[in-house]
């Protein structure tokens, strides 16, 4: 049995695959690539596959992590190519290596998002948005395990910036909490809608860029 960590990207139309569909996709890809997975024992065995941070449907990523247990040792340098030959459009394994840390050490996620304004970017919106997220407290209504609750999201934002790209878009870059509790990038839009509805974009899309540990060093 050998444990392997995959770094992979989920881009384009594959961003609409749900977490469950993605799990099934990897199970089938390992079979088609001839890479046997180690399974649990019992009446309903299932393969040992574990994703670091499930990705919301509609969000792209170039930094997804998956841990798998293989039934035997494999050449990890050749594993990405073998799996990619069986992958559907938009999903690509970038690297395979032996994991040295546990997913529990993940603390931050770097994201970028485009905020589209059909009528053009509102005047002085960059200053207003920066001021909004510089507040000591920014409360939104958020779904939690105990139901809907009022939550201050400022402690879950490590960094945030805004840039006018000149084509009716604002580029948002942020480092947000990965877990315990996590902050979905859509909550940033919820905060704008709640506190500055005049700056609410007509459309917003996000991409996950990197994952960090508690010291904001790149997680491997």
């Amino acid at each position: 049995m050998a444990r392997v960590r995959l770094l992979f990207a989920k881009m384009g139309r594959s961003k609409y695959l749900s977490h469950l569909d993605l799990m099934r996709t990897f199970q089938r890809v390992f079979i088609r690539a001839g890479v046997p997975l180690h399974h649990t024992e019992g009446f309903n065995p299932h393969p040992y596959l574990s994703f670091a941070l499930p990705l919301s449907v509609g969000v792209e990523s170039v930094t997804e992590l998956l841990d798998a247990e293989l039934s035997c040792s494999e050449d990890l340098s050749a594993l990405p190519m073998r799996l990619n030959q069986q992958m559907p459009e938009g999903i690509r394994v970038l690297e395979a290596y032996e994991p040295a840390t546990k997913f529990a050490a993940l603390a931050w996620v770097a994201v970028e998002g485009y905020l589209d304004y059909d009528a053009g970017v509102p005047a002085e919106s960059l200053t207003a948005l920066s001021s909004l997220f510089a507040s000591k407290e920014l409360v939104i209504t958020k779904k939690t395990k105990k139901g809907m609750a009022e939550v201050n999201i400022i402690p879950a934002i490590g960094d945030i910036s805004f840039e006018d790209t000149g084509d009716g878009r604002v580029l948002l870059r942020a480092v947000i909490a990965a877990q315990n509790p996590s902050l979905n990038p859509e909550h940033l839009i919820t905060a704008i809608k709640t506190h500055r509805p005049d700056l609410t974009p007509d459309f917003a899309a996000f991409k996950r860029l990197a994952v960090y540990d508690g010291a904001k060093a790149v997680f491997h």
Side-chain angles (χ1 to χ4, degrees):
M1 185 175 65
R3 194 174 183 86
V4 61
R5 178 164 295 170
L6 302 181
L7 171 67
F8 68 96
K10 184 168 176 266
M11 300 289 291
R13 292 191 299 173
S14 70
K15 69 181 180 182
Y16 297 113
L17 287 176
S18 69
H19 178 67
L20 186 57
D21 287 336
L22 187 64
M23 178 72 79
R24 291 171 178 154
T25 296
F26 269 93
Q27 290 176 10
R28 292 167 181 163
V29 165
F30 271 99
I31 293 173
R32 290 171 180 168
V35 181
L37 289 168
H38 182 62
H39 284 66
T40 60
E41 298 180 353
F43 292 106
N44 185 27
H46 59 271
Y48 284 98
L49 291 175
S50 176
F51 291 87
L53 301 169
L55 191 65
S56 297
V57 173
V59 177
E60 295 182 319
S61 176
V62 294
T63 187
E64 294 305 285
L65 295 172
L66 165 67
D67 279 358
E69 289 189 7
L70 310 182
S71 296
C72 56
S73 297
E74 299 284 347
D75 178 1
L76 297 186
S77 64
L79 188 57
M81 183 184 69
R82 292 176 63 187
L83 296 177
N84 286 337
Q85 288 175 341
Q86 309 300 327
M87 282 292 183
E89 172 189 334
I91 301 177
R92 285 293 175 269
V93 176
L94 307 175
E95 190 177 355
Y97 53 93
E98 294 182 11
T101 51
K102 295 184 177 180
F103 289 153
L106 276 166
W108 298 98
V109 178
V111 299
E112 72 173 15
Y114 282 100
L115 315 186
D116 288 350
Y117 295 89
D118 293 344
V121 177
E124 300 184 358
S125 59
L126 300 188
T127 301
L129 289 171
S130 298
S131 176
L132 175 65
F133 286 95
S135 307
K136 292 184 178 178
E137 186 175 89
L138 195 57
V139 176
I140 66 168
T141 301
K142 178 184 173 186
K143 187 177 182 180
T144 69
K145 292 181 180 178
K146 297 181 179 179
M148 303 304 291
E150 299 281 298
V151 177
N152 175 22
I153 65 171
I154 289 298
I157 302 175
D159 188 31
I160 191 167
S161 65
F162 300 90
E163 176 186 341
D164 188 343
T165 63
D167 55 355
R169 282 182 160 182
V170 169
L171 173 61
L172 178 160
R173 292 190 179 93
V175 177
I176 57 179
Q179 51 188 348
N180 302 320
S182 64
L183 184 69
N184 189 310
E186 286 294 337
H187 291 143
L188 303 174
I189 304 302
T190 301
I192 297 173
K193 288 180 180 177
T194 303
H195 298 277
R196 288 299 305 261
D198 55 315
L199 299 179
T200 302
D202 295 291
F203 178 77
F206 288 92
K207 181 195 297 183
R208 190 180 281 176
L209 300 177
V211 289
Y212 303 127
D213 61 17
K216 293 185 179 176
V218 175
F219 182 90
H220 292 286

